[in-house]
Amino acid sequence: MAAPPKAALAKWEKVRSFALGLPGAGEEFPWGETVVKVNKKVFVFLGVTDGSYPLGMGVKLKDDAMHAHALSCPGAAPSGYGLGKAGWVQIPLAQKGAPGAEVLCDWVEESYRAIATKKLIAELDAR
C-alpha cells in the first residue's frame, strides 16, 4: 500500500481538526474508518489514511449550490449505501483539481449544521 500524497494528507488533517473543533464534535472509528459525530450522528466520514483506500471525505450537503459544487469536483460522487439520496457526497482529496482545505471545511460546517442541534449551531454562530 502506498501512503497517501502529502498534500492530500495535510488537507485531510486540516479538515479533521476543523471538524473536531466544532461544538460537541467527537471522533469515532466504526468499521476502522475515521468519522466525526455530533449528537451520536456522523457529520463527516474521513475514511482511512493507511493508503488502503484513496483519501477522501463524505459530507451531507443540503444546500443545492454546495451540493452541485461538491459533485462537480474530480472523482466526486453521491455516497454509497443509499446515503447519496439524502444529500451525502463523497469527495476524493488526492485527485488533481480536488478542492482546497478552506472549501472542504465550509462543506464540513454545512454538514455539521444539517445534523447538529439548534443549541450547538447557536454556540457555533456565537464564536
Side-chain angles (χ1 to χ4, degrees), residues 20-80:
L20 289 172
L22 294 167
E27 189 172 42
E28 291 184 22
F29 305 93
W31 327 286
E33 294 186 19
T34 302
V35 301
V36 185
K37 293 182 171 186
V38 64
N39 309 330
K40 300 187 173 93
K41 292 182 182 168
V42 175
F43 69 93
V44 61
F45 289 93
L46 289 167
V48 293
T49 55
D50 63 4
S52 64
Y53 197 77
L55 211 53
M57 69 176 220
V59 285
K60 181 172 186 162
L61 299 173
K62 283 186 164 175
D63 180 271
D64 289 341
M66 281 188 182
H67 191 263
H69 182 201
L71 282 175
S72 74
C73 296
S79 298

Short mmCIF file of all heavy atoms in Angstrom, two decimals, residues 20-80:
data_model
loop_
_atom_site.label_atom_id
_atom_site.label_comp_id
_atom_site.label_asym_id
_atom_site.label_seq_id
_atom_site.Cartn_x
_atom_site.Cartn_y
_atom_site.Cartn_z
N LEU A 20 -13.29 18.51 14.41
CA LEU A 20 -13.21 18.23 15.84
C LEU A 20 -13.31 19.50 16.68
O LEU A 20 -13.62 19.43 17.87
CB LEU A 20 -11.91 17.48 16.17
CG LEU A 20 -11.89 16.03 15.68
CD1 LEU A 20 -10.51 15.42 15.87
CD2 LEU A 20 -12.94 15.20 16.41
N GLY A 21 -13.08 20.66 16.06
CA GLY A 21 -13.17 21.93 16.76
C GLY A 21 -14.59 22.47 16.85
O GLY A 21 -14.85 23.46 17.54
N LEU A 22 -15.53 21.84 16.17
CA LEU A 22 -16.92 22.29 16.19
C LEU A 22 -17.58 21.88 17.52
O LEU A 22 -17.22 20.85 18.08
CB LEU A 22 -17.69 21.72 15.00
CG LEU A 22 -17.22 22.25 13.64
CD1 LEU A 22 -17.80 21.42 12.50
CD2 LEU A 22 -17.57 23.72 13.46
N PRO A 23 -18.52 22.69 18.03
CA PRO A 23 -19.12 22.41 19.34
C PRO A 23 -19.74 21.00 19.42
O PRO A 23 -20.49 20.61 18.53
CB PRO A 23 -20.23 23.46 19.47
CG PRO A 23 -19.84 24.57 18.54
CD PRO A 23 -19.07 23.91 17.43
N GLY A 24 -19.37 20.26 20.45
CA GLY A 24 -19.94 18.93 20.68
C GLY A 24 -19.43 17.83 19.78
O GLY A 24 -19.93 16.70 19.85
N ALA A 25 -18.46 18.12 18.93
CA ALA A 25 -17.96 17.11 17.99
C ALA A 25 -17.03 16.11 18.67
O ALA A 25 -16.28 16.48 19.57
CB ALA A 25 -17.24 17.79 16.83
N GLY A 26 -17.09 14.86 18.22
CA GLY A 26 -16.21 13.83 18.75
C GLY A 26 -15.85 12.84 17.66
O GLY A 26 -16.61 12.65 16.71
N GLU A 27 -14.67 12.23 17.82
CA GLU A 27 -14.16 11.31 16.80
C GLU A 27 -14.42 9.86 17.21
O GLU A 27 -14.28 9.52 18.38
CB GLU A 27 -12.65 11.55 16.68
CG GLU A 27 -11.99 10.85 15.54
CD GLU A 27 -10.54 11.31 15.38
OE1 GLU A 27 -9.83 11.47 16.40
OE2 GLU A 27 -10.12 11.52 14.25
N GLU A 28 -14.84 9.06 16.24
CA GLU A 28 -15.02 7.62 16.47
C GLU A 28 -14.44 6.86 15.29
O GLU A 28 -14.15 7.44 14.26
CB GLU A 28 -16.50 7.29 16.67
CG GLU A 28 -17.07 7.84 17.98
CD GLU A 28 -18.51 7.43 18.23
OE1 GLU A 28 -18.96 6.42 17.65
OE2 GLU A 28 -19.18 8.13 18.99
N PHE A 29 -14.31 5.53 15.46
CA PHE A 29 -13.68 4.71 14.44
C PHE A 29 -14.49 3.45 14.11
O PHE A 29 -14.00 2.34 14.25
CB PHE A 29 -12.25 4.34 14.86
CG PHE A 29 -11.41 5.53 15.19
CD1 PHE A 29 -11.31 5.99 16.49
CD2 PHE A 29 -10.75 6.23 14.18
CE1 PHE A 29 -10.55 7.12 16.79
CE2 PHE A 29 -9.99 7.35 14.48
CZ PHE A 29 -9.90 7.81 15.79
N PRO A 30 -15.75 3.64 13.65
CA PRO A 30 -16.51 2.45 13.26
C PRO A 30 -15.92 1.87 11.98
O PRO A 30 -15.38 2.61 11.18
CB PRO A 30 -17.93 3.00 13.02
CG PRO A 30 -17.70 4.43 12.62
CD PRO A 30 -16.46 4.88 13.37
N TRP A 31 -16.03 0.59 11.80
CA TRP A 31 -15.53 -0.09 10.58
C TRP A 31 -14.06 0.24 10.30
O TRP A 31 -13.60 0.15 9.17
CB TRP A 31 -16.36 0.28 9.34
CG TRP A 31 -17.79 0.52 9.61
CD1 TRP A 31 -18.74 -0.43 9.89
CD2 TRP A 31 -18.48 1.78 9.65
NE1 TRP A 31 -19.95 0.17 10.11
CE2 TRP A 31 -19.82 1.53 9.96
CE3 TRP A 31 -18.08 3.10 9.46
CZ2 TRP A 31 -20.76 2.54 10.09
CZ3 TRP A 31 -19.01 4.12 9.58
CH2 TRP A 31 -20.34 3.83 9.90
N GLY A 32 -13.31 0.67 11.32
CA GLY A 32 -11.90 1.01 11.13
C GLY A 32 -11.68 2.31 10.38
O GLY A 32 -10.56 2.63 10.00
N GLU A 33 -12.75 3.07 10.17
CA GLU A 33 -12.64 4.36 9.48
C GLU A 33 -12.79 5.49 10.49
O GLU A 33 -13.40 5.31 11.53
CB GLU A 33 -13.75 4.50 8.43
CG GLU A 33 -13.65 3.54 7.29
CD GLU A 33 -14.69 3.84 6.21
OE1 GLU A 33 -15.22 4.96 6.17
OE2 GLU A 33 -14.96 2.94 5.42
N THR A 34 -12.26 6.66 10.13
CA THR A 34 -12.42 7.83 10.98
C THR A 34 -13.72 8.55 10.62
O THR A 34 -13.96 8.84 9.44
CB THR A 34 -11.23 8.80 10.78
OG1 THR A 34 -10.02 8.11 11.07
CG2 THR A 34 -11.36 10.02 11.68
N VAL A 35 -14.55 8.83 11.63
CA VAL A 35 -15.74 9.65 11.44
C VAL A 35 -15.77 10.69 12.55
O VAL A 35 -15.20 10.50 13.61
CB VAL A 35 -17.07 8.84 11.47
CG1 VAL A 35 -17.09 7.77 10.39
CG2 VAL A 35 -17.35 8.25 12.83
N VAL A 36 -16.43 11.81 12.27
CA VAL A 36 -16.65 12.81 13.32
C VAL A 36 -18.15 12.94 13.49
O VAL A 36 -18.89 13.06 12.51
CB VAL A 36 -15.98 14.16 13.00
CG1 VAL A 36 -16.13 15.12 14.18
CG2 VAL A 36 -14.50 13.97 12.67
N LYS A 37 -18.58 12.86 14.77
CA LYS A 37 -20.00 12.86 15.08
C LYS A 37 -20.38 14.04 15.98
O LYS A 37 -19.53 14.57 16.70
CB LYS A 37 -20.38 11.58 15.85
CG LYS A 37 -20.27 10.30 15.07
CD LYS A 37 -20.72 9.13 15.93
CE LYS A 37 -20.84 7.85 15.13
NZ LYS A 37 -21.41 6.76 15.95
N VAL A 38 -21.66 14.39 15.93
CA VAL A 38 -22.27 15.32 16.89
C VAL A 38 -23.62 14.69 17.23
O VAL A 38 -24.29 14.15 16.34
CB VAL A 38 -22.37 16.75 16.32
CG1 VAL A 38 -23.29 16.83 15.11
CG2 VAL A 38 -22.82 17.73 17.41
N ASN A 39 -24.02 14.72 18.49
CA ASN A 39 -25.27 14.07 18.94
C ASN A 39 -25.33 12.62 18.48
O ASN A 39 -26.38 12.17 18.02
CB ASN A 39 -26.51 14.78 18.38
CG ASN A 39 -26.48 16.26 18.62
OD1 ASN A 39 -25.91 16.72 19.60
ND2 ASN A 39 -27.08 17.02 17.73
N LYS A 40 -24.23 11.89 18.54
CA LYS A 40 -24.15 10.48 18.14
C LYS A 40 -24.43 10.25 16.66
O LYS A 40 -24.65 9.13 16.22
CB LYS A 40 -25.11 9.61 18.98
CG LYS A 40 -24.82 9.66 20.47
CD LYS A 40 -25.69 8.65 21.22
CE LYS A 40 -25.31 8.54 22.66
NZ LYS A 40 -26.06 9.41 23.55
N LYS A 41 -24.45 11.33 15.86
CA LYS A 41 -24.69 11.18 14.41
C LYS A 41 -23.46 11.66 13.64
O LYS A 41 -22.90 12.71 13.95
CB LYS A 41 -25.90 12.02 13.98
CG LYS A 41 -27.21 11.49 14.51
CD LYS A 41 -28.36 12.34 13.99
CE LYS A 41 -29.68 11.87 14.53
NZ LYS A 41 -30.74 12.85 14.27
N VAL A 42 -23.08 10.90 12.63
CA VAL A 42 -21.92 11.26 11.80
C VAL A 42 -22.24 12.51 10.98
O VAL A 42 -23.30 12.60 10.37
CB VAL A 42 -21.57 10.11 10.83
CG1 VAL A 42 -20.44 10.52 9.90
CG2 VAL A 42 -21.19 8.85 11.60
N PHE A 43 -21.31 13.48 10.96
CA PHE A 43 -21.47 14.60 10.03
C PHE A 43 -20.32 14.67 9.04
O PHE A 43 -20.41 15.38 8.06
CB PHE A 43 -21.71 15.94 10.75
CG PHE A 43 -20.54 16.48 11.52
CD1 PHE A 43 -19.66 17.37 10.94
CD2 PHE A 43 -20.36 16.14 12.85
CE1 PHE A 43 -18.59 17.89 11.66
CE2 PHE A 43 -19.30 16.66 13.58
CZ PHE A 43 -18.41 17.54 12.98
N VAL A 44 -19.27 13.90 9.26
CA VAL A 44 -18.23 13.80 8.23
C VAL A 44 -17.56 12.41 8.32
O VAL A 44 -17.20 11.97 9.40
CB VAL A 44 -17.19 14.95 8.28
CG1 VAL A 44 -16.45 15.00 9.59
CG2 VAL A 44 -16.19 14.86 7.14
N PHE A 45 -17.51 11.75 7.17
CA PHE A 45 -16.79 10.48 7.04
C PHE A 45 -15.40 10.83 6.51
O PHE A 45 -15.28 11.49 5.48
CB PHE A 45 -17.48 9.57 6.01
CG PHE A 45 -18.81 9.01 6.47
CD1 PHE A 45 -19.99 9.66 6.16
CD2 PHE A 45 -18.87 7.82 7.19
CE1 PHE A 45 -21.22 9.14 6.57
CE2 PHE A 45 -20.10 7.29 7.60
CZ PHE A 45 -21.27 7.96 7.29
N LEU A 46 -14.35 10.37 7.22
CA LEU A 46 -12.99 10.68 6.78
C LEU A 46 -12.22 9.46 6.30
O LEU A 46 -11.05 9.55 5.94
CB LEU A 46 -12.23 11.41 7.89
CG LEU A 46 -12.71 12.84 8.15
CD1 LEU A 46 -12.15 13.37 9.45
CD2 LEU A 46 -12.33 13.76 7.00
N GLY A 47 -12.86 8.29 6.31
CA GLY A 47 -12.21 7.10 5.76
C GLY A 47 -10.96 6.68 6.50
O GLY A 47 -10.85 6.83 7.70
N VAL A 48 -9.99 6.19 5.74
CA VAL A 48 -8.74 5.68 6.30
C VAL A 48 -7.56 6.45 5.70
O VAL A 48 -7.65 6.97 4.60
CB VAL A 48 -8.57 4.16 6.02
CG1 VAL A 48 -9.61 3.35 6.78
CG2 VAL A 48 -8.65 3.86 4.54
N THR A 49 -6.46 6.49 6.47
CA THR A 49 -5.26 7.19 5.98
C THR A 49 -4.09 6.25 5.76
O THR A 49 -2.98 6.68 5.57
CB THR A 49 -4.81 8.27 6.99
OG1 THR A 49 -4.63 7.64 8.26
CG2 THR A 49 -5.83 9.38 7.11
N ASP A 50 -4.36 4.93 5.78
CA ASP A 50 -3.26 3.97 5.66
C ASP A 50 -2.90 3.63 4.21
O ASP A 50 -2.05 2.80 3.96
CB ASP A 50 -3.60 2.68 6.43
CG ASP A 50 -4.82 1.96 5.87
OD1 ASP A 50 -5.37 2.40 4.83
OD2 ASP A 50 -5.23 0.95 6.48
N GLY A 51 -3.59 4.29 3.26
CA GLY A 51 -3.28 4.04 1.86
C GLY A 51 -4.03 2.86 1.27
O GLY A 51 -3.90 2.55 0.09
N SER A 52 -4.86 2.17 2.09
CA SER A 52 -5.60 1.02 1.58
C SER A 52 -6.78 1.45 0.71
O SER A 52 -7.34 0.66 -0.03
CB SER A 52 -6.11 0.16 2.74
OG SER A 52 -7.05 0.88 3.53
N TYR A 53 -7.14 2.71 0.80
CA TYR A 53 -8.26 3.24 0.04
C TYR A 53 -7.94 4.71 -0.25
O TYR A 53 -7.32 5.37 0.58
CB TYR A 53 -9.54 3.11 0.88
CG TYR A 53 -10.80 3.24 0.07
CD1 TYR A 53 -11.25 2.18 -0.73
CD2 TYR A 53 -11.53 4.42 0.08
CE1 TYR A 53 -12.41 2.30 -1.48
CE2 TYR A 53 -12.70 4.54 -0.67
CZ TYR A 53 -13.12 3.48 -1.45
OH TYR A 53 -14.26 3.60 -2.20
N PRO A 54 -8.32 5.25 -1.42
CA PRO A 54 -7.97 6.65 -1.71
C PRO A 54 -8.50 7.61 -0.65
O PRO A 54 -9.61 7.44 -0.16
CB PRO A 54 -8.66 6.92 -3.06
CG PRO A 54 -8.88 5.57 -3.66
CD PRO A 54 -9.06 4.62 -2.50
N LEU A 55 -7.68 8.58 -0.30
CA LEU A 55 -8.05 9.57 0.71
C LEU A 55 -9.25 10.38 0.23
O LEU A 55 -9.27 10.87 -0.90
CB LEU A 55 -6.84 10.49 0.94
CG LEU A 55 -6.66 11.09 2.31
CD1 LEU A 55 -6.68 10.02 3.40
CD2 LEU A 55 -5.35 11.85 2.37
N GLY A 56 -10.25 10.51 1.09
CA GLY A 56 -11.43 11.27 0.73
C GLY A 56 -12.26 11.59 1.94
O GLY A 56 -11.89 11.24 3.06
N MET A 57 -13.37 12.27 1.71
CA MET A 57 -14.29 12.56 2.80
C MET A 57 -15.72 12.54 2.29
O MET A 57 -15.96 12.73 1.10
CB MET A 57 -13.97 13.91 3.45
CG MET A 57 -14.27 15.11 2.57
SD MET A 57 -13.98 16.63 3.49
CE MET A 57 -15.35 17.61 2.92
N GLY A 58 -16.64 12.27 3.20
CA GLY A 58 -18.05 12.29 2.86
C GLY A 58 -18.77 13.28 3.75
O GLY A 58 -18.55 13.30 4.96
N VAL A 59 -19.59 14.15 3.15
CA VAL A 59 -20.34 15.15 3.90
C VAL A 59 -21.78 15.21 3.40
O VAL A 59 -22.05 14.86 2.26
CB VAL A 59 -19.71 16.56 3.79
CG1 VAL A 59 -18.46 16.68 4.64
CG2 VAL A 59 -19.40 16.93 2.35
N LYS A 60 -22.67 15.69 4.27
CA LYS A 60 -24.07 15.86 3.90
C LYS A 60 -24.28 17.32 3.54
O LYS A 60 -24.08 18.21 4.37
CB LYS A 60 -24.98 15.48 5.08
CG LYS A 60 -26.45 15.61 4.75
CD LYS A 60 -27.32 15.04 5.85
CE LYS A 60 -28.76 15.07 5.43
NZ LYS A 60 -29.59 14.16 6.23
N LEU A 61 -24.66 17.59 2.30
CA LEU A 61 -24.83 18.96 1.82
C LEU A 61 -26.28 19.18 1.41
O LEU A 61 -26.72 18.69 0.37
CB LEU A 61 -23.88 19.25 0.66
CG LEU A 61 -22.39 19.11 1.01
CD1 LEU A 61 -21.54 19.25 -0.23
CD2 LEU A 61 -21.97 20.13 2.06
N LYS A 62 -27.01 19.92 2.23
CA LYS A 62 -28.42 20.21 1.92
C LYS A 62 -28.53 21.42 1.00
O LYS A 62 -29.50 21.56 0.28
CB LYS A 62 -29.19 20.48 3.22
CG LYS A 62 -29.52 19.20 3.98
CD LYS A 62 -30.41 19.51 5.16
CE LYS A 62 -31.06 18.25 5.69
NZ LYS A 62 -31.83 18.52 6.92
N ASP A 63 -27.54 22.31 1.06
CA ASP A 63 -27.54 23.50 0.21
C ASP A 63 -27.32 23.06 -1.24
O ASP A 63 -26.31 22.43 -1.55
CB ASP A 63 -26.43 24.45 0.67
CG ASP A 63 -26.36 25.71 -0.17
OD1 ASP A 63 -25.64 25.70 -1.19
OD2 ASP A 63 -27.03 26.69 0.19
N ASP A 64 -28.27 23.38 -2.12
CA ASP A 64 -28.19 22.92 -3.52
C ASP A 64 -26.93 23.36 -4.24
O ASP A 64 -26.32 22.57 -4.95
CB ASP A 64 -29.42 23.39 -4.31
CG ASP A 64 -30.69 22.67 -3.89
OD1 ASP A 64 -30.61 21.58 -3.27
OD2 ASP A 64 -31.78 23.19 -4.17
N ALA A 65 -26.53 24.62 -4.04
CA ALA A 65 -25.32 25.13 -4.72
C ALA A 65 -24.07 24.40 -4.23
O ALA A 65 -23.23 24.00 -5.03
CB ALA A 65 -25.19 26.64 -4.49
N MET A 66 -23.96 24.21 -2.91
CA MET A 66 -22.79 23.49 -2.36
C MET A 66 -22.79 22.05 -2.85
O MET A 66 -21.75 21.50 -3.19
CB MET A 66 -22.82 23.50 -0.83
CG MET A 66 -22.35 24.78 -0.22
SD MET A 66 -22.21 24.54 1.58
CE MET A 66 -21.69 26.17 2.07
N HIS A 67 -23.97 21.43 -2.85
CA HIS A 67 -24.10 20.03 -3.28
C HIS A 67 -23.64 19.89 -4.74
O HIS A 67 -22.84 19.00 -5.07
CB HIS A 67 -25.56 19.58 -3.11
CG HIS A 67 -25.76 18.11 -3.26
ND1 HIS A 67 -26.16 17.55 -4.44
CD2 HIS A 67 -25.59 17.09 -2.40
CE1 HIS A 67 -26.25 16.25 -4.28
NE2 HIS A 67 -25.90 15.93 -3.06
N ALA A 68 -24.11 20.79 -5.60
CA ALA A 68 -23.73 20.76 -7.02
C ALA A 68 -22.23 21.00 -7.18
O ALA A 68 -21.57 20.33 -7.98
CB ALA A 68 -24.53 21.80 -7.80
N HIS A 69 -21.69 21.96 -6.42
CA HIS A 69 -20.25 22.27 -6.49
C HIS A 69 -19.44 21.04 -6.07
O HIS A 69 -18.48 20.66 -6.74
CB HIS A 69 -19.93 23.47 -5.60
CG HIS A 69 -18.50 23.90 -5.65
ND1 HIS A 69 -17.92 24.64 -4.67
CD2 HIS A 69 -17.52 23.66 -6.56
CE1 HIS A 69 -16.63 24.85 -4.97
NE2 HIS A 69 -16.38 24.25 -6.11
N ALA A 70 -19.86 20.40 -4.97
CA ALA A 70 -19.13 19.22 -4.49
C ALA A 70 -19.15 18.11 -5.53
O ALA A 70 -18.12 17.49 -5.81
CB ALA A 70 -19.73 18.73 -3.18
N LEU A 71 -20.31 17.89 -6.14
CA LEU A 71 -20.41 16.82 -7.15
C LEU A 71 -19.64 17.15 -8.43
O LEU A 71 -19.33 16.25 -9.20
CB LEU A 71 -21.88 16.55 -7.49
CG LEU A 71 -22.65 15.70 -6.48
CD1 LEU A 71 -24.11 15.59 -6.86
CD2 LEU A 71 -22.04 14.32 -6.32
N SER A 72 -19.32 18.44 -8.64
CA SER A 72 -18.57 18.82 -9.84
C SER A 72 -17.07 18.61 -9.66
O SER A 72 -16.31 18.75 -10.61
CB SER A 72 -18.86 20.28 -10.20
OG SER A 72 -18.18 21.16 -9.29
N CYS A 73 -16.62 18.26 -8.45
CA CYS A 73 -15.19 18.02 -8.21
C CYS A 73 -14.75 16.73 -8.88
O CYS A 73 -15.53 15.79 -8.98
CB CYS A 73 -14.91 17.93 -6.71
SG CYS A 73 -15.24 19.47 -5.86
N PRO A 74 -13.47 16.67 -9.32
CA PRO A 74 -12.98 15.46 -9.98
C PRO A 74 -13.14 14.23 -9.09
O PRO A 74 -12.68 14.23 -7.96
CB PRO A 74 -11.50 15.75 -10.22
CG PRO A 74 -11.35 17.23 -10.11
CD PRO A 74 -12.45 17.70 -9.19
N GLY A 75 -13.83 13.22 -9.62
CA GLY A 75 -13.98 11.96 -8.89
C GLY A 75 -15.07 11.94 -7.83
O GLY A 75 -15.31 10.91 -7.22
N ALA A 76 -15.72 13.07 -7.58
CA ALA A 76 -16.77 13.12 -6.55
C ALA A 76 -18.00 12.36 -7.02
O ALA A 76 -18.26 12.27 -8.23
CB ALA A 76 -17.13 14.55 -6.22
N ALA A 77 -18.75 11.81 -6.06
CA ALA A 77 -19.94 11.04 -6.39
C ALA A 77 -20.88 11.02 -5.19
O ALA A 77 -20.43 11.20 -4.06
CB ALA A 77 -19.55 9.61 -6.75
N PRO A 78 -22.17 10.78 -5.45
CA PRO A 78 -23.08 10.59 -4.30
C PRO A 78 -22.55 9.42 -3.46
O PRO A 78 -22.06 8.44 -4.00
CB PRO A 78 -24.41 10.22 -4.95
CG PRO A 78 -24.33 10.80 -6.34
CD PRO A 78 -22.88 10.67 -6.73
N SER A 79 -22.62 9.55 -2.14
CA SER A 79 -22.13 8.49 -1.25
C SER A 79 -22.92 7.20 -1.44
O SER A 79 -24.09 7.25 -1.81
CB SER A 79 -22.22 8.94 0.21
OG SER A 79 -21.40 10.07 0.42
N GLY A 80 -22.26 6.08 -1.17
CA GLY A 80 -22.89 4.77 -1.32
C GLY A 80 -23.85 4.44 -0.19
O GLY A 80 -24.12 5.29 0.66
#
